[in-house]
Amino acid sequence: MKQTDVTAFGEILIDFTHSGTADNGAVLFARHPGGAPGNVAVQVARLGGTAAFLGKAGNDMHGQFLADTLKTEGVNTEGLLLDDRHFTTLAFVSVDETGERTFSFARKPGADTQISADELNRAQIRDGKIFHAGSLSLTHEPARSATLEAIREAKAAGALVSYDPNYRASLWNSRQEAMEAMRSLVPFADLMKISDEETELLTGKADPEEALQALLDAGVKFAAVTLGADGAMAGTSAGIVKVPGIPSPIADTNGAGDSFWGAILWQFASRDLNPEELDPARTEDLLRFANAAAALTVRRPGAIPAMPDREAVETFLAA
């Protein structure tokens, strides 16, 4: 019997988020743990689920900080490797007055791109009800091949495969390269989330509802599109539903999508839901809970530090 609700694979890194200026005018950045798959794992754990993380960081001050953060959050880190040869990836994040982000990466190469297939903790992959991956691990070898091998291992073990492509233009040589690589994982995905900014890149359809239908037609069993302040929509073979956003003061949108998706995956795993058996009413319930988690996340700076626990989400929804 599987003991892990969600096993997340991919990048873990440091988000240095703009946090004002010093008296002498120097720009200040605050160090936050980040990386989309790591964020998702933490959100699952915060909600009371069991989560594991597989990936690689540098054996440096930042990598040790990230490993300690995941352990403190209750995420299993047996599959997290610390590399003596490559530095932990750093992302410098500028947030404007609306909470929107601009990224600049120090990743040439980052340790997260250097995990190979033979370094995968296969027992941990097989133990997960849901295997979750993003697309930043597709930008370079050997991580790209490791991603595909991990997905094959998860599929063979009967796990649901979750995919959240996370487009960062500066990490790819071209938009065409990104599009081809990111679309390559769609046929493997049972559960998938994209943002409204990624619809055309992933499906060729700019309209969110048309993009959802394209993903469902491609074999995805549960597909979601986040719409920022407008909420989210999701679809299954039973139909497509939309849930409006929850008004919330915004300190930082970093991690909101990961909080949303972590909340979705937690609900699937903790309730042993079959995406092929969801009716529109249950899909709507999933979205409302996930929207609440994201709305709470944007109220505080940072990704992992801002993610809510189950009590906070349920209290927020009840209010």
Side-chain angles (χ1 to χ4, degrees):
M1 183 176 179
K2 295 178 183 290
Q3 301 298 312
T4 304
D5 289 327
V6 177
T7 297
F9 170 84
E11 76 278 3
I12 190 164
L13 48 81
I14 300 294
D15 287 326
F16 280 107
T17 306
H18 182 224
S19 60
T21 55
D23 291 341
N24 65 358
V27 176
L28 301 177
F29 288 86
R31 182 179 74 162
H32 294 294
N39 296 342
V40 168
V42 169
Q43 183 61 91
V44 170
R46 287 245 178 117
L47 292 171
T50 52
F53 179 80
L54 281 73
K56 183 177 280 192
N59 190 14
D60 48 51
M61 62 184 292
H62 299 305
Q64 295 287 351
F65 168 65
L66 292 167
D68 290 344
T69 297
L70 291 181
K71 291 174 185 174
T72 299
E73 295 290 345
V75 176
N76 186 318
T77 58
E78 293 176 12
L80 172 60
L81 308 175
L82 298 183
D83 192 328
D84 289 320
R85 296 178 302 154
H86 301 94
F87 201 71
T88 300
T89 291
L90 309 178
F92 294 86
V93 189
S94 177
V95 182
D96 67 20
E97 61 276 4
T98 68
E100 290 306 312
R101 305 159 296 162
T102 302
F103 292 85
S104 179
F105 290 90
R107 190 187 191 226
K108 297 183 178 181
D112 60 293
T113 68
Q114 299 304 300
I115 188 167
S116 61
D118 60 6
E119 293 176 307
L120 294 171
N121 187 321
R122 295 174 185 268
Q124 208 168 51
I125 295 172
R126 291 191 294 268
D127 188 53
K129 295 179 182 179
I130 298 173
F131 177 83
H132 172 69
S135 62
L136 265 64
S137 58
L138 301 176
T139 60
H140 297 81
E141 290 288 2
R144 180 181 296 191
S145 293
T147 304
L148 295 170
E149 179 61 23
I151 288 174
R152 284 191 285 265
E153 187 79 30
K155 281 281 192 184
L160 289 173
V161 170
S162 161
Y163 177 40
D164 179 8
N166 193 17
Y167 181 52
R168 298 287 179 260
S170 63
L171 296 179
W172 298 91
N173 292 321
S174 68
R175 182 178 173 85
Q176 181 68 25
E177 179 193 44
M179 182 179 68
E180 292 174 1
M182 293 167 72
R183 290 186 182 187
S184 71
L185 295 191
V186 175
F188 299 99
D190 300 297
L191 315 172
M192 185 170 169
K193 176 188 82 70
I194 58 177
S195 73
D196 54 353
E197 297 174 343
E198 296 165 337
T199 53
E200 189 166 8
L201 186 70
L202 268 296
T203 70
K205 306 289 186 181
D207 177 76
E209 187 166 342
E210 291 181 3
L212 274 185
Q213 191 59 56
L215 293 176
L216 296 171
D217 292 343
V220 179
K221 298 178 178 67
F222 177 92
V225 177
T226 54
L227 305 169
D230 292 331
M233 61 173 57
T236 68
S237 59
I240 292 173
V241 299
K242 180 180 178 181
V243 172
I246 302 173
S248 184
I250 296 176
D252 180 359
T253 59
N254 205 27
D258 302 327
S259 174
F260 172 92
W261 196 237
I264 291 286
L265 298 186
W266 172 76
Q267 292 177 92
F268 268 102
S270 64
R271 301 169 186 173
D272 291 319
L273 298 179
N274 182 338
E276 295 182 285
E277 297 176 355
L278 292 182
D279 60 28
R282 176 54 70 89
T283 298
E284 186 173 332
D285 288 341
L286 295 179
L287 291 179
R288 289 190 188 282
F289 187 91
N291 272 354
L296 289 170
T297 298
V298 302
R299 296 182 172 199
R300 298 171 55 198
I304 286 176
M307 290 181 171
D309 60 20
R310 181 178 178 181
E311 181 180 3
V313 176
E314 291 177 343
T315 300
F316 186 58
L317 281 171

